[in-house]
Amino acid sequence: MPLIAIHSISGKEPENKNDKIQCNFYIIDDKKLNIDTSGELSLKGIESLNLEKKTYEMVFKDSKQPLDFKSKSKKWTLIGNYGDKTLIRNLVALKISTLFEMKYTPECKPVDLIVNGEFKGSFVLCDQVE
C-alpha cells in the first residue's frame, strides 16, 4: 500500500480547522518516491473534527499527480474513515459511482499515513473536486 509521510516545519499538527501548518509531503509507492513537495496541511470536515482519526486537507505548493491519478491538483483530501472499521465502504461507494459515470466523483486510493514520525493508520487519498 502506498505511504504518505508528512513532516511539519514546526513539528506540530493542526489542532483546529483554522490551523494551516507548513509541511513537507512525501508519497512513496512501490518503494519509489512518487511525490516530494511542500505545502500546507489543515483539518477538514465538521463532525470528523471530534473523532480520534481526523480528515486532512493537503495543499501542495504546485499541482501534482500522485499515485498515477488522472487529475493534477494542488488540493488533496486524506479521509480518516473513523466510522468504517472495514476501511472499504468509501472506496466501494466511489468505485460504484465511477462505474455509473456519475459527475464529480473523486478518484481515490487507500494509503497509510505517517505525520511527524507517528503512524496515523490507513486513510483514503482523494483528489478534491471543487
Side-chain angles (χ1 to χ4, degrees):
M1 183 156 28
L3 173 70
I4 297 180
I6 301 172
H7 298 283
S8 67
I9 306 300
S10 66
K12 296 181 180 179
E13 293 181 39
E15 294 178 5
N16 61 56
K17 201 168 179 171
N18 297 323
D19 288 349
K20 294 190 185 310
I21 307 294
Q22 295 298 315
C23 296
N24 293 315
F25 300 100
Y26 307 94
I27 300 178
I28 300 162
D29 189 27
D30 290 331
K31 299 180 183 177
K32 291 183 255 175
L33 187 62
N34 180 267
I35 296 285
D36 177 357
T37 192
S38 61
E40 291 180 341
L41 180 69
S42 60
L43 294 175
K44 188 170 175 65
I46 296 171
E47 293 296 322
S48 64
L49 294 174
N50 299 320
L51 302 175
E52 288 180 40
K53 197 171 178 186
K54 310 290 185 213
T55 294
Y56 297 97
E57 178 182 68
M58 300 184 300
V59 181
F60 297 154
K61 179 178 64 174
D62 302 311
S63 293
K64 299 289 180 188
Q65 196 172 10
L67 306 175
D68 300 323
F69 275 74
K70 293 175 188 160
S71 64
K72 194 172 187 180
S73 178
K74 288 184 178 185
K75 291 184 178 181
W76 297 88
T77 303
L78 287 164
I79 300 172
N81 289 327
Y82 182 75
D84 177 12
K85 301 307 177 204
T86 66
L87 302 175
I88 62 167
R89 282 194 321 224
N90 277 336
L91 291 170
V92 170
L94 290 165
K95 183 64 174 179
I96 291 169
S97 179
T98 300
L99 292 172
F100 282 104
E101 298 177 0
M102 298 176 76
K103 292 182 180 180
Y104 309 111
T105 302
E107 188 175 2
C108 297
K109 292 191 179 178
V111 297
D112 283 336
L113 178 65
I114 294 174
V115 179
N116 294 327
E118 181 183 343
F119 180 69
K120 296 291 185 175
S122 294
F123 283 70
V124 176
L125 175 67
C126 297
D127 60 342
Q128 192 164 316
V129 177
E130 299 201 32

